[in-house]
Amino acid sequence: MRIGLYFGSFNPIHTGHLIIANHIAEHYDFDKVWLVLSPHNPLKESSTLLHEYHRLHLVNLALAGNDKLAACDIEFKLPKPSYTIDTLTHLQEHYPKHRFSVIMGSDSFQNLQRWKNYTILLRDYPIIVYQRPGHEAAPTLYPNASITEAKAPMLDISSSYIRAQIKNGKSIQYLCPDSVAAYIKENRYYL
């Protein structure tokens, strides 16, 4: 089985995440795209993170009805903070017949040299990079790696913007699926 791994904090998941994940699932040769929820990304501030199980529930709400996308909580069981290469090693051990690829934004791709064992990641796993506004992918930096630039829709939506909207009492309608926005409001998340 070919699995695309789309890592993220999803704090909260939003329409931009879903459009990218669905685009990759539809236009690239994957059986499924797993949205791998990271409890704590070592390169991001953790103080604004909603509890991982609440974020996982929001991801599951967002993915309801799409059988090509699935939530993955594998990093909940691994040491924190989460390192992509450790997660990939763990997944490869538990799913030896699956072929994994990593999906990332061009902003993350620009920071790849800061990642733990990034050279092993580049050597052993195909990477699909989608454009983020203001960030060039520049796959020529790694000529021996398997890097594909995805021609996905480019949206300038971020979880930090959504959190700010909520904190300021503004609507997040259309930024998140209705089920996610309603659950956030009902539970008073990010206030």
Side-chain angles (χ1 to χ4, degrees), residues 50-51 53-55 57-58 61 166 172 178-191:
L50 188 65
H51 189 278
Y53 285 101
H54 297 312
R55 289 183 282 133
H57 182 69
L58 293 174
L61 283 174
I166 294 167
I172 60 168
D178 290 343
S179 57
V180 170
Y183 199 82
I184 287 172
K185 184 175 183 178
E186 177 185 332
N187 289 280
R188 301 179 53 78
Y189 293 156
Y190 304 112
L191 289 176

Side-chain angles (χ1 to χ4, degrees), residues 39-113:
H40 178 204
N41 178 329
L43 300 178
K44 288 188 176 179
E45 176 60 48
S46 65
S47 65
T48 61
L49 285 175
L50 188 65
H51 189 278
E52 61 239 38
Y53 285 101
H54 297 312
R55 289 183 282 133
L56 178 64
H57 182 69
L58 293 174
V59 170
N60 280 315
L61 283 174
L63 301 182
N66 188 329
D67 61 355
K68 291 200 88 166
L69 306 180
C72 178
D73 64 357
I74 193 73
E75 289 192 348
F76 290 21
K77 303 164 186 75
L78 299 175
K80 293 173 186 68
S82 309
Y83 293 98
T84 301
I85 195 66
D86 295 339
T87 304
L88 288 164
T89 301
H90 186 81
L91 285 169
Q92 208 64 71
E93 288 170 0
H94 285 78
Y95 301 97
K97 293 184 179 178
H98 288 12
R99 290 181 16 235
F100 296 104
S101 297
V102 177
I103 301 162
M104 69 174 68
S106 55
D107 53 339
S108 294
F109 187 76
Q110 284 183 342
N111 289 319
L112 200 58
Q113 292 181 353

Side-chain angles (χ1 to χ4, degrees), residues 22-35:
N22 193 65
H23 178 85
I24 302 285
E26 290 293 326
H27 292 90
Y28 295 84
D29 189 25
F30 291 117
D31 296 297
K32 278 199 181 283
V33 170
W34 292 355
L35 281 78

Side-chain angles (χ1 to χ4, degrees), residues 134-146:
H135 300 276
E136 290 298 317
T140 53
L141 291 173
Y142 310 106
N144 298 323
S146 173

Side-chain angles (χ1 to χ4, degrees), residues 10 12-19 157-160 162 175-177 180:
F10 304 114
I13 190 163
H14 56 67
T15 305
H17 294 131
L18 297 170
I19 288 171
I157 301 173
S158 70
S159 294
S160 57
I162 292 168
L175 297 171
C176 296
V180 170

Side-chain angles (χ1 to χ4, degrees), residues 85 88 104 109 112-113 117-127 139 141-147:
I85 195 66
L88 288 164
M104 69 174 68
F109 187 76
L112 200 58
Q113 292 181 353
N117 296 335
Y118 78 95
T119 55
I120 296 170
L121 175 77
L122 288 167
R123 182 192 71 199
D124 294 348
Y125 297 94
I127 298 175
L141 291 173
Y142 310 106
N144 298 323
S146 173
I147 300 167

